[in-house]
Amino acid sequence: MSGSAVIGLGNPLMGDDGFGLVALARLRDEWTLEGVELADGGTWGMSLLPLIEDAERLVLLDAIAAGATPGEVVVLERDRLPIYLTRKLSPHQVDLRDVLAVAEWRGKLPLETVAIGVQPQSVQMGLELSPAVDRAVEAAVGVVIERLLQWGHRCEPREPASSCMR
């Protein structure tokens, strides 16, 4: 087992769908996390299975369409996650629900699994997060840090890089 894994998910070319990767980058750049593996899951699909199955605890960072106000932080505990196989038009269409379903079926989905994200405002072609989702990144990262602390990890903010050379 590898401790805890935080996987950032989404497509950075689709506006707010890139939230998980932006939040993951913030964690990587601004925090020192002991015993936590950070992974860019992007749109990897079934390639994420070994990472998920090796983790003792799992945080999934993603845009979550929950019918909330755009930019609202959404937390889905394991029992509320959509864990089931989906119908495909092609074998290349694998999404996170399928990966979680396979891990669950194999008895290897971590008992402590949570999805933390924000309600997207716009999921369409574009490189920028909407203002509401961009403002929510810091709050969502705070929820991740809080969960990691509950799980016993040491989480320390990094010193900001100096803006001028001496």
Side-chain angles (χ1 to χ4, degrees), residues 7 9-10 16-20 59-77 80-82 96 100 114-123 133 140 143-144:
I7 302 175
L9 300 162
D16 289 346
D17 191 50
F19 161 81
V59 175
L60 303 167
L61 276 172
D62 202 1
I64 301 173
T69 303
E72 185 175 329
V73 176
V74 177
V75 177
L76 297 178
E77 300 295 340
R80 293 186 53 218
L81 291 174
L96 185 63
L100 296 176
V114 62
I116 299 172
V118 296
Q119 172 71 41
Q121 179 172 341
S122 173
V123 179
V133 169
V143 173
V144 173

mmCIF file of all heavy atoms in Angstrom, residues 7 9-10 16-20 59-77 80-82 96 100 114-123 133 140 143-144:
data_model
loop_
_atom_site.group_PDB
_atom_site.id
_atom_site.type_symbol
_atom_site.label_atom_id
_atom_site.label_comp_id
_atom_site.label_asym_id
_atom_site.label_seq_id
_atom_site.Cartn_x
_atom_site.Cartn_y
_atom_site.Cartn_z
ATOM 1 N N ILE A 7 -5.704 12.197 -6.946
ATOM 2 C CA ILE A 7 -5.679 12.149 -8.404
ATOM 3 C C ILE A 7 -6.489 13.320 -8.941
ATOM 4 O O ILE A 7 -7.676 13.456 -8.644
ATOM 5 C CB ILE A 7 -6.269 10.830 -8.931
ATOM 6 C CG1 ILE A 7 -5.500 9.633 -8.369
ATOM 7 C CG2 ILE A 7 -6.239 10.813 -10.464
ATOM 8 C CD1 ILE A 7 -6.099 8.277 -8.737
ATOM 9 N N LEU A 9 -8.325 15.015 -11.987
ATOM 10 C CA LEU A 9 -8.998 14.499 -13.178
ATOM 11 C C LEU A 9 -9.541 15.634 -14.023
ATOM 12 O O LEU A 9 -9.758 16.740 -13.521
ATOM 13 C CB LEU A 9 -10.151 13.577 -12.759
ATOM 14 C CG LEU A 9 -9.747 12.372 -11.925
ATOM 15 C CD1 LEU A 9 -10.945 11.788 -11.214
ATOM 16 C CD2 LEU A 9 -9.066 11.340 -12.793
ATOM 17 N N GLY A 10 -9.800 15.344 -15.285
ATOM 18 C CA GLY A 10 -10.456 16.312 -16.148
ATOM 19 C C GLY A 10 -9.675 16.599 -17.409
ATOM 20 O O GLY A 10 -8.562 16.116 -17.603
ATOM 21 N N ASP A 16 -14.052 24.478 -17.352
ATOM 22 C CA ASP A 16 -14.137 24.077 -15.947
ATOM 23 C C ASP A 16 -13.857 22.596 -15.718
ATOM 24 O O ASP A 16 -13.582 22.181 -14.601
ATOM 25 C CB ASP A 16 -15.513 24.428 -15.370
ATOM 26 C CG ASP A 16 -15.700 25.924 -15.202
ATOM 27 O OD1 ASP A 16 -14.702 26.681 -15.276
ATOM 28 O OD2 ASP A 16 -16.855 26.352 -14.996
ATOM 29 N N ASP A 17 -13.916 21.778 -16.774
ATOM 30 C CA ASP A 17 -13.593 20.364 -16.626
ATOM 31 C C ASP A 17 -12.124 20.184 -16.220
ATOM 32 O O ASP A 17 -11.753 19.162 -15.669
ATOM 33 C CB ASP A 17 -13.878 19.593 -17.918
ATOM 34 C CG ASP A 17 -13.803 18.094 -17.718
ATOM 35 O OD1 ASP A 17 -14.439 17.587 -16.768
ATOM 36 O OD2 ASP A 17 -13.109 17.421 -18.501
ATOM 37 N N GLY A 18 -11.297 21.193 -16.436
ATOM 38 C CA GLY A 18 -9.889 21.137 -16.044
ATOM 39 C C GLY A 18 -9.645 21.467 -14.583
ATOM 40 O O GLY A 18 -8.496 21.479 -14.123
ATOM 41 N N PHE A 19 -10.708 21.694 -13.804
ATOM 42 C CA PHE A 19 -10.569 22.068 -12.399
ATOM 43 C C PHE A 19 -9.659 21.115 -11.624
ATOM 44 O O PHE A 19 -8.796 21.546 -10.859
ATOM 45 C CB PHE A 19 -11.942 22.130 -11.698
ATOM 46 C CG PHE A 19 -11.812 22.067 -10.210
ATOM 47 C CD1 PHE A 19 -11.490 23.205 -9.487
ATOM 48 C CD2 PHE A 19 -11.940 20.865 -9.523
ATOM 49 C CE1 PHE A 19 -11.309 23.146 -8.115
ATOM 50 C CE2 PHE A 19 -11.770 20.797 -8.157
ATOM 51 C CZ PHE A 19 -11.453 21.939 -7.450
ATOM 52 N N GLY A 20 -9.853 19.817 -11.773
ATOM 53 C CA GLY A 20 -9.088 18.841 -10.990
ATOM 54 C C GLY A 20 -7.590 18.969 -11.201
ATOM 55 O O GLY A 20 -6.801 18.814 -10.266
ATOM 56 N N VAL A 59 -8.276 10.378 -2.796
ATOM 57 C CA VAL A 59 -9.002 11.621 -3.064
ATOM 58 C C VAL A 59 -9.024 11.815 -4.573
ATOM 59 O O VAL A 59 -7.980 11.764 -5.223
ATOM 60 C CB VAL A 59 -8.334 12.853 -2.408
ATOM 61 C CG1 VAL A 59 -9.043 14.140 -2.815
ATOM 62 C CG2 VAL A 59 -8.288 12.727 -0.894
ATOM 63 N N LEU A 60 -10.215 12.020 -5.108
ATOM 64 C CA LEU A 60 -10.392 12.318 -6.519
ATOM 65 C C LEU A 60 -10.762 13.789 -6.636
ATOM 66 O O LEU A 60 -11.733 14.233 -6.023
ATOM 67 C CB LEU A 60 -11.505 11.444 -7.103
ATOM 68 C CG LEU A 60 -11.296 9.948 -6.936
ATOM 69 C CD1 LEU A 60 -12.580 9.191 -7.245
ATOM 70 C CD2 LEU A 60 -10.149 9.460 -7.809
ATOM 71 N N LEU A 61 -9.969 14.541 -7.384
ATOM 72 C CA LEU A 61 -10.228 15.975 -7.599
ATOM 73 C C LEU A 61 -10.815 16.143 -8.986
ATOM 74 O O LEU A 61 -10.177 15.775 -9.975
ATOM 75 C CB LEU A 61 -8.921 16.763 -7.533
ATOM 76 C CG LEU A 61 -8.403 17.170 -6.182
ATOM 77 C CD1 LEU A 61 -7.004 17.758 -6.315
ATOM 78 C CD2 LEU A 61 -9.327 18.153 -5.530
ATOM 79 N N ASP A 62 -12.032 16.712 -9.059
ATOM 80 C CA ASP A 62 -12.680 16.788 -10.360
ATOM 81 C C ASP A 62 -13.788 17.831 -10.340
ATOM 82 O O ASP A 62 -14.273 18.211 -9.269
ATOM 83 C CB ASP A 62 -13.286 15.422 -10.699
ATOM 84 C CG ASP A 62 -13.506 15.195 -12.190
ATOM 85 O OD1 ASP A 62 -13.183 16.081 -13.002
ATOM 86 O OD2 ASP A 62 -13.994 14.111 -12.532
ATOM 87 N N ALA A 63 -14.195 18.265 -11.517
ATOM 88 C CA ALA A 63 -15.419 19.050 -11.632
ATOM 89 C C ALA A 63 -16.560 18.065 -11.403
ATOM 90 O O ALA A 63 -16.564 16.978 -11.966
ATOM 91 C CB ALA A 63 -15.513 19.677 -13.018
ATOM 92 N N ILE A 64 -17.509 18.433 -10.543
ATOM 93 C CA ILE A 64 -18.596 17.521 -10.182
ATOM 94 C C ILE A 64 -19.930 18.216 -10.438
ATOM 95 O O ILE A 64 -20.267 19.175 -9.742
ATOM 96 C CB ILE A 64 -18.498 17.087 -8.704
ATOM 97 C CG1 ILE A 64 -17.161 16.397 -8.427
ATOM 98 C CG2 ILE A 64 -19.670 16.193 -8.331
ATOM 99 C CD1 ILE A 64 -16.903 16.095 -6.957
ATOM 100 N N ALA A 65 -20.657 17.724 -11.425
ATOM 101 C CA ALA A 65 -21.982 18.281 -11.730
ATOM 102 C C ALA A 65 -22.977 17.716 -10.731
ATOM 103 O O ALA A 65 -23.396 16.571 -10.829
ATOM 104 C CB ALA A 65 -22.382 17.934 -13.156
ATOM 105 N N ALA A 66 -23.302 18.520 -9.719
ATOM 106 C CA ALA A 66 -24.171 18.068 -8.631
ATOM 107 C C ALA A 66 -25.432 18.923 -8.510
ATOM 108 O O ALA A 66 -26.158 18.816 -7.540
ATOM 109 C CB ALA A 66 -23.390 18.100 -7.312
ATOM 110 N N GLY A 67 -25.649 19.797 -9.489
ATOM 111 C CA GLY A 67 -26.816 20.669 -9.423
ATOM 112 C C GLY A 67 -26.659 21.797 -8.424
ATOM 113 O O GLY A 67 -27.635 22.418 -8.025
ATOM 114 N N ALA A 68 -25.423 22.080 -8.014
ATOM 115 C CA ALA A 68 -25.143 23.151 -7.049
ATOM 116 C C ALA A 68 -24.911 24.468 -7.804
ATOM 117 O O ALA A 68 -24.958 24.524 -9.029
ATOM 118 C CB ALA A 68 -23.920 22.776 -6.212
ATOM 119 N N THR A 69 -24.628 25.510 -7.060
ATOM 120 C CA THR A 69 -24.279 26.804 -7.634
ATOM 121 C C THR A 69 -22.887 26.697 -8.257
ATOM 122 O O THR A 69 -21.989 26.120 -7.637
ATOM 123 C CB THR A 69 -24.268 27.873 -6.524
ATOM 124 O OG1 THR A 69 -25.541 27.876 -5.890
ATOM 125 C CG2 THR A 69 -23.951 29.241 -7.078
ATOM 126 N N PRO A 70 -22.655 27.240 -9.457
ATOM 127 C CA PRO A 70 -21.320 27.184 -10.051
ATOM 128 C C PRO A 70 -20.256 27.706 -9.085
ATOM 129 O O PRO A 70 -20.421 28.749 -8.458
ATOM 130 C CB PRO A 70 -21.441 28.081 -11.286
ATOM 131 C CG PRO A 70 -22.879 27.946 -11.679
ATOM 132 C CD PRO A 70 -23.618 27.882 -10.356
ATOM 133 N N GLY A 71 -19.199 26.929 -8.937
ATOM 134 C CA GLY A 71 -18.106 27.278 -8.038
ATOM 135 C C GLY A 71 -18.274 26.745 -6.630
ATOM 136 O O GLY A 71 -17.353 26.834 -5.822
ATOM 137 N N GLU A 72 -19.428 26.162 -6.319
ATOM 138 C CA GLU A 72 -19.640 25.603 -4.981
ATOM 139 C C GLU A 72 -18.818 24.325 -4.825
ATOM 140 O O GLU A 72 -18.780 23.476 -5.707
ATOM 141 C CB GLU A 72 -21.120 25.285 -4.779
ATOM 142 C CG GLU A 72 -21.458 24.810 -3.377
ATOM 143 C CD GLU A 72 -22.958 24.615 -3.199
ATOM 144 O OE1 GLU A 72 -23.748 25.332 -3.847
ATOM 145 O OE2 GLU A 72 -23.319 23.744 -2.399
ATOM 146 N N VAL A 73 -18.128 24.204 -3.674
ATOM 147 C CA VAL A 73 -17.342 23.004 -3.396
ATOM 148 C C VAL A 73 -18.291 21.844 -3.109
ATOM 149 O O VAL A 73 -19.258 21.985 -2.366
ATOM 150 C CB VAL A 73 -16.372 23.227 -2.208
ATOM 151 C CG1 VAL A 73 -15.636 21.943 -1.858
ATOM 152 C CG2 VAL A 73 -15.374 24.340 -2.542
ATOM 153 N N VAL A 74 -18.008 20.706 -3.743
ATOM 154 C CA VAL A 74 -18.829 19.509 -3.617
ATOM 155 C C VAL A 74 -17.952 18.384 -3.077
ATOM 156 O O VAL A 74 -16.842 18.173 -3.572
ATOM 157 C CB VAL A 74 -19.417 19.097 -4.982
ATOM 158 C CG1 VAL A 74 -20.212 17.807 -4.870
ATOM 159 C CG2 VAL A 74 -20.267 20.222 -5.569
ATOM 160 N N VAL A 75 -18.441 17.677 -2.057
ATOM 161 C CA VAL A 75 -17.725 16.537 -1.492
ATOM 162 C C VAL A 75 -18.644 15.327 -1.579
ATOM 163 O O VAL A 75 -19.762 15.351 -1.071
ATOM 164 C CB VAL A 75 -17.316 16.795 -0.018
ATOM 165 C CG1 VAL A 75 -16.632 15.573 0.575
ATOM 166 C CG2 VAL A 75 -16.418 18.026 0.080
ATOM 167 N N LEU A 76 -18.162 14.289 -2.256
ATOM 168 C CA LEU A 76 -18.909 13.039 -2.360
ATOM 169 C C LEU A 76 -18.121 11.933 -1.670
ATOM 170 O O LEU A 76 -17.032 11.572 -2.121
ATOM 171 C CB LEU A 76 -19.139 12.648 -3.821
ATOM 172 C CG LEU A 76 -19.981 13.577 -4.679
ATOM 173 C CD1 LEU A 76 -20.058 13.060 -6.113
ATOM 174 C CD2 LEU A 76 -21.375 13.747 -4.101
ATOM 175 N N GLU A 77 -18.672 11.432 -0.580
ATOM 176 C CA GLU A 77 -18.036 10.314 0.119
ATOM 177 C C GLU A 77 -18.216 9.045 -0.708
ATOM 178 O O GLU A 77 -19.042 8.978 -1.617
ATOM 179 C CB GLU A 77 -18.647 10.148 1.513
ATOM 180 C CG GLU A 77 -18.501 11.363 2.414
ATOM 181 C CD GLU A 77 -17.067 11.704 2.799
ATOM 182 O OE1 GLU A 77 -16.169 10.832 2.706
ATOM 183 O OE2 GLU A 77 -16.827 12.865 3.178
ATOM 184 N N ARG A 80 -21.508 7.667 -1.946
ATOM 185 C CA ARG A 80 -22.292 8.486 -2.876
ATOM 186 C C ARG A 80 -21.656 8.568 -4.263
ATOM 187 O O ARG A 80 -22.199 9.212 -5.157
ATOM 188 C CB ARG A 80 -22.460 9.902 -2.320
ATOM 189 C CG ARG A 80 -23.338 9.934 -1.063
ATOM 190 C CD ARG A 80 -23.627 11.350 -0.593
ATOM 191 N NE ARG A 80 -24.185 12.180 -1.660
ATOM 192 C CZ ARG A 80 -23.887 13.460 -1.834
ATOM 193 N NH1 ARG A 80 -23.056 14.076 -1.040
ATOM 194 N NH2 ARG A 80 -24.431 14.153 -2.821
ATOM 195 N N LEU A 81 -20.521 7.908 -4.440
ATOM 196 C CA LEU A 81 -19.845 7.958 -5.740
ATOM 197 C C LEU A 81 -20.566 7.087 -6.759
ATOM 198 O O LEU A 81 -21.055 6.002 -6.412
ATOM 199 C CB LEU A 81 -18.393 7.478 -5.607
ATOM 200 C CG LEU A 81 -17.460 8.388 -4.833
ATOM 201 C CD1 LEU A 81 -16.104 7.725 -4.643
ATOM 202 C CD2 LEU A 81 -17.298 9.715 -5.544
ATOM 203 N N PRO A 82 -20.610 7.525 -7.997
ATOM 204 C CA PRO A 82 -21.219 6.699 -9.046
ATOM 205 C C PRO A 82 -20.258 5.583 -9.449
ATOM 206 O O PRO A 82 -19.367 5.774 -10.268
ATOM 207 C CB PRO A 82 -21.450 7.694 -10.192
ATOM 208 C CG PRO A 82 -20.416 8.747 -9.985
ATOM 209 C CD PRO A 82 -20.185 8.818 -8.487
ATOM 210 N N LEU A 96 -14.291 7.375 -15.339
ATOM 211 C CA LEU A 96 -13.927 7.074 -13.964
ATOM 212 C C LEU A 96 -14.894 6.097 -13.304
ATOM 213 O O LEU A 96 -14.482 5.256 -12.515
ATOM 214 C CB LEU A 96 -13.823 8.367 -13.146
ATOM 215 C CG LEU A 96 -13.337 8.172 -11.720
ATOM 216 C CD1 LEU A 96 -11.910 7.622 -11.702
ATOM 217 C CD2 LEU A 96 -13.420 9.460 -10.947
ATOM 218 N N LEU A 100 -13.629 2.861 -11.187
ATOM 219 C CA LEU A 100 -14.029 2.612 -9.801
ATOM 220 C C LEU A 100 -14.808 1.307 -9.679
ATOM 221 O O LEU A 100 -14.636 0.556 -8.710
ATOM 222 C CB LEU A 100 -14.857 3.785 -9.269
ATOM 223 C CG LEU A 100 -14.140 5.133 -9.175
ATOM 224 C CD1 LEU A 100 -15.112 6.221 -8.727
ATOM 225 C CD2 LEU A 100 -12.935 5.065 -8.270
ATOM 226 N N VAL A 114 -12.892 9.526 -1.473
ATOM 227 C CA VAL A 114 -13.740 10.713 -1.507
ATOM 228 C C VAL A 114 -13.444 11.489 -2.788
ATOM 229 O O VAL A 114 -12.299 11.535 -3.245
ATOM 230 C CB VAL A 114 -13.515 11.600 -0.256
ATOM 231 C CG1 VAL A 114 -12.088 12.118 -0.184
ATOM 232 C CG2 VAL A 114 -14.503 12.744 -0.195
ATOM 233 N N ALA A 115 -14.486 12.051 -3.375
ATOM 234 C CA ALA A 115 -14.323 12.966 -4.506
ATOM 235 C C ALA A 115 -14.562 14.383 -3.984
ATOM 236 O O ALA A 115 -15.557 14.643 -3.306
ATOM 237 C CB ALA A 115 -15.320 12.641 -5.615
ATOM 238 N N ILE A 116 -13.625 15.251 -4.270
ATOM 239 C CA ILE A 116 -13.722 16.653 -3.868
ATOM 240 C C ILE A 116 -13.604 17.485 -5.134
ATOM 241 O O ILE A 116 -12.674 17.296 -5.926
ATOM 242 C CB ILE A 116 -12.619 17.029 -2.854
ATOM 243 C CG1 ILE A 116 -12.769 16.179 -1.579
ATOM 244 C CG2 ILE A 116 -12.651 18.524 -2.544
ATOM 245 C CD1 ILE A 116 -11.632 16.313 -0.598
ATOM 246 N N GLY A 117 -14.560 18.366 -5.329
ATOM 247 C CA GLY A 117 -14.528 19.174 -6.533
ATOM 248 C C GLY A 117 -15.400 20.388 -6.410
ATOM 249 O O GLY A 117 -15.774 20.799 -5.314
ATOM 250 N N VAL A 118 -15.713 20.954 -7.550
ATOM 251 C CA VAL A 118 -16.599 22.114 -7.598
ATOM 252 C C VAL A 118 -17.627 21.909 -8.709
ATOM 253 O O VAL A 118 -17.384 21.199 -9.679
ATOM 254 C CB VAL A 118 -15.845 23.444 -7.832
ATOM 255 C CG1 VAL A 118 -14.909 23.757 -6.695
ATOM 256 C CG2 VAL A 118 -15.116 23.429 -9.146
ATOM 257 N N GLN A 119 -18.757 22.555 -8.515
ATOM 258 C CA GLN A 119 -19.792 22.569 -9.548
ATOM 259 C C GLN A 119 -19.275 23.414 -10.708
ATOM 260 O O GLN A 119 -18.939 24.585 -10.518
ATOM 261 C CB GLN A 119 -21.086 23.162 -8.984
ATOM 262 C CG GLN A 119 -22.156 23.397 -10.022
ATOM 263 C CD GLN A 119 -22.753 22.108 -10.544
ATOM 264 O OE1 GLN A 119 -22.997 21.180 -9.789
ATOM 265 N NE2 GLN A 119 -22.985 22.049 -11.847
ATOM 266 N N PRO A 120 -19.171 22.838 -11.904
ATOM 267 C CA PRO A 120 -18.699 23.636 -13.047
ATOM 268 C C PRO A 120 -19.769 24.616 -13.522
ATOM 269 O O PRO A 120 -20.961 24.388 -13.320
ATOM 270 C CB PRO A 120 -18.426 22.577 -14.120
ATOM 271 C CG PRO A 120 -19.305 21.427 -13.770
ATOM 272 C CD PRO A 120 -19.436 21.451 -12.270
ATOM 273 N N GLN A 121 -19.305 25.686 -14.133
ATOM 274 C CA GLN A 121 -20.215 26.639 -14.757
ATOM 275 C C GLN A 121 -20.242 26.417 -16.266
ATOM 276 O O GLN A 121 -21.288 26.455 -16.889
ATOM 277 C CB GLN A 121 -19.791 28.072 -14.456
ATOM 278 C CG GLN A 121 -20.691 29.111 -15.095
ATOM 279 C CD GLN A 121 -20.355 30.517 -14.619
ATOM 280 O OE1 GLN A 121 -19.716 30.703 -13.596
ATOM 281 N NE2 GLN A 121 -20.796 31.496 -15.366
ATOM 282 N N SER A 122 -19.056 26.153 -16.834
ATOM 283 C CA SER A 122 -18.950 26.024 -18.287
ATOM 284 C C SER A 122 -18.000 24.887 -18.640
ATOM 285 O O SER A 122 -16.820 24.935 -18.298
ATOM 286 C CB SER A 122 -18.427 27.335 -18.870
ATOM 287 O OG SER A 122 -18.172 27.194 -20.245
ATOM 288 N N VAL A 123 -18.534 23.874 -19.321
ATOM 289 C CA VAL A 123 -17.697 22.779 -19.805
ATOM 290 C C VAL A 123 -17.799 22.800 -21.327
ATOM 291 O O VAL A 123 -18.611 22.112 -21.932
ATOM 292 C CB VAL A 123 -18.143 21.413 -19.229
ATOM 293 C CG1 VAL A 123 -17.265 20.296 -19.774
ATOM 294 C CG2 VAL A 123 -18.090 21.437 -17.713
ATOM 295 N N VAL A 133 -15.448 29.164 -10.761
ATOM 296 C CA VAL A 133 -14.677 27.950 -10.462
ATOM 297 C C VAL A 133 -13.250 28.324 -10.076
ATOM 298 O O VAL A 133 -12.685 27.760 -9.139
ATOM 299 C CB VAL A 133 -14.726 26.962 -11.646
ATOM 300 C CG1 VAL A 133 -13.733 25.835 -11.477
ATOM 301 C CG2 VAL A 133 -16.146 26.413 -11.790
ATOM 302 N N ALA A 140 -11.412 24.488 -2.309
ATOM 303 C CA ALA A 140 -11.396 23.043 -2.543
ATOM 304 C C ALA A 140 -10.064 22.436 -2.090
ATOM 305 O O ALA A 140 -10.050 21.364 -1.473
ATOM 306 C CB ALA A 140 -11.656 22.742 -4.014
ATOM 307 N N VAL A 143 -10.184 21.919 1.539
ATOM 308 C CA VAL A 143 -10.942 20.725 1.929
ATOM 309 C C VAL A 143 -10.068 19.481 1.772
ATOM 310 O O VAL A 143 -10.096 18.578 2.619
ATOM 311 C CB VAL A 143 -12.248 20.611 1.103
ATOM 312 C CG1 VAL A 143 -12.957 19.291 1.362
ATOM 313 C CG2 VAL A 143 -13.171 21.789 1.418
ATOM 314 N N VAL A 144 -9.269 19.422 0.717
ATOM 315 C CA VAL A 144 -8.344 18.291 0.527
ATOM 316 C C VAL A 144 -7.340 18.241 1.671
ATOM 317 O O VAL A 144 -7.107 17.180 2.264
ATOM 318 C CB VAL A 144 -7.615 18.381 -0.835
ATOM 319 C CG1 VAL A 144 -6.547 17.297 -0.945
ATOM 320 C CG2 VAL A 144 -8.605 18.285 -1.989
#
